Amino acid sequence: MKKLLVLLMGVAIVIAITACGNKASKPADTTSPAATTQAAGGQNVTLKATNFKFDQTEYRVKKGEPVTITLDNSQGIHGASIKEFNVKLDNSNKTFTFTPDKTGSFPITCSIMCGSGHANMKTTLIVE
Ligand SMILES: [Cu+2]
């Protein structure tokens, strides 16, 4: 009888180890989509707009890597335009992704007549 018990326990241990092995392989599967997302992440620029300026005097990005640019109107209603890269953002089109193919300084201007400070509402995109 004792021998049978030992045998059953042995089988139980083998099953337990096998079950654990299956569990251990699952987290490895779930990490792979996250790694893919990171690789495709690229560069993110957020233009935070208030009356009547953007939150930074310049925004730096790298040439040849995708840039996702987002307009965040935290005060007033503004637009953002970068003519060189055909970027036009406003409240109905807040995000745009492009890949800068040249280096330099490119003006970012407000594209909506937002009020008295509109003409001075400018900043710069610097591509390095
Ligand atoms: Cu404006």
Side-chain angles (χ1 to χ4, degrees), residues 30-126:
T30 54
T31 56
S32 47
T36 313
T37 320
Q38 269 186 346
Q43 316 177 78
N44 289 295
V45 171
T46 300
L47 307 171
K48 205 170 181 181
T50 54
N51 292 336
F52 293 92
K53 61 183 174 66
F54 294 101
D55 65 328
Q56 289 180 46
T57 53
E58 57 185 45
Y59 301 84
R60 288 176 183 269
V61 296
K62 287 190 186 114
K63 180 191 163 186
E65 291 179 21
V67 178
T68 298
I69 190 160
T70 303
L71 175 69
D72 174 12
N73 273 325
S74 52
Q75 182 193 37
I77 298 170
H78 309 281
S81 163
I82 310 172
K83 283 190 182 136
E84 196 71 35
F85 299 111
N86 288 319
V87 177
K88 277 183 185 173
L89 302 175
D90 57 39
N91 269 351
S92 59
N93 187 23
K94 289 182 180 182
T95 276
F96 185 73
T97 301
F98 67 102
T99 303
D101 57 354
K102 54 195 140 194
T103 58
S105 295
F106 306 99
I108 304 174
T109 54
C110 177
S111 57
I112 295 172
M113 185 59 215
C114 54
S116 59
H118 173 71
N120 296 318
M121 201 166 160
K122 292 172 188 163
T123 182
T124 306
L125 180 77
I126 296 176

Side-chain angles (χ1 to χ4, degrees), residues 1-18:
M1 268 309 265
K2 272 186 184 176
K3 270 186 184 173
L4 187 65
L5 268 174
V6 169
L7 190 73
L8 282 174
M9 278 175 73
V11 170
I13 287 165
V14 169
I15 290 168
I17 289 168
T18 314

